[in-house]
Amino acid sequence: MASDLETFPVRNGEDVVKARQIVRSRAMDVGFSLVEQTKIVTAASELARNTVIYGGGGEMRIERVYGGPKRSGLRLTFEDKGPGIADIDLALRDGFTTGNGLGLGLNGARQLSHEFDIWSEPG
């Protein structure tokens, strides 16, 4: 990996595909197993898609993190300037959907992650 922190635009469907490809490549670089790669790529895809659909586009930051001499991972951050999430607890509830798609939702992305934080403010 050229740098420990990289930033990429996520503004349309093509960028969502690119985000998936970048995350898979970085996960391979770190040494993730195929199952770990699939989990992080799936979570990244859902979050990138939400960034475009609900946030009007934004960016993805991907950072290699180190947890010890033989452990490293990836931190993904998706940021947008959308209208915000009025009820984060509801949005994270298992099975919650806006009815607009068949995605995993935020809860699905959270379940595929080792750590998951979300910050949002309406407006």
Side-chain angles (χ1 to χ4, degrees):
M1 185 158 19
S3 168
D4 281 353
L5 176 63
E6 299 172 281
T7 303
F8 301 93
V10 182
R11 295 190 177 95
N12 54 46
E14 188 175 299
D15 289 341
V16 172
V17 172
K18 288 179 187 175
R20 289 176 58 93
Q21 294 168 341
I22 290 163
V23 170
R24 180 168 305 280
S25 175
R26 299 311 180 267
M28 290 171 56
D29 291 346
V30 171
F32 282 16
S33 70
L34 183 57
V35 169
E36 292 167 328
Q37 289 174 40
T38 301
K39 286 180 177 182
I40 196 167
V41 168
T42 303
S45 180
E46 181 66 19
L47 296 170
R49 183 180 142 299
N50 284 358
T51 298
V52 171
I53 293 172
Y54 302 108
E59 67 180 25
M60 173 185 77
R61 290 188 299 278
I62 186 166
E63 179 180 12
R64 187 169 183 165
V65 293
Y66 300 91
K70 295 186 179 185
R71 290 192 61 212
S72 61
L74 296 173
R75 176 181 297 127
L76 306 178
T77 304
F78 292 85
E79 185 173 345
D80 63 61
K81 302 293 184 201
I85 301 170
D87 188 340
I88 291 176
D89 290 335
L90 177 62
L92 289 172
R93 190 172 297 152
D94 194 26
F96 176 78
T97 179
T98 60
N100 293 332
L102 300 174
L104 296 169
L106 293 175
N107 188 52
R110 177 175 64 173
Q111 290 177 6
L112 292 169
S113 305
H114 286 283
E115 295 179 27
F116 185 92
D117 294 310
I118 185 168
W119 297 278
S120 183
E121 294 179 6

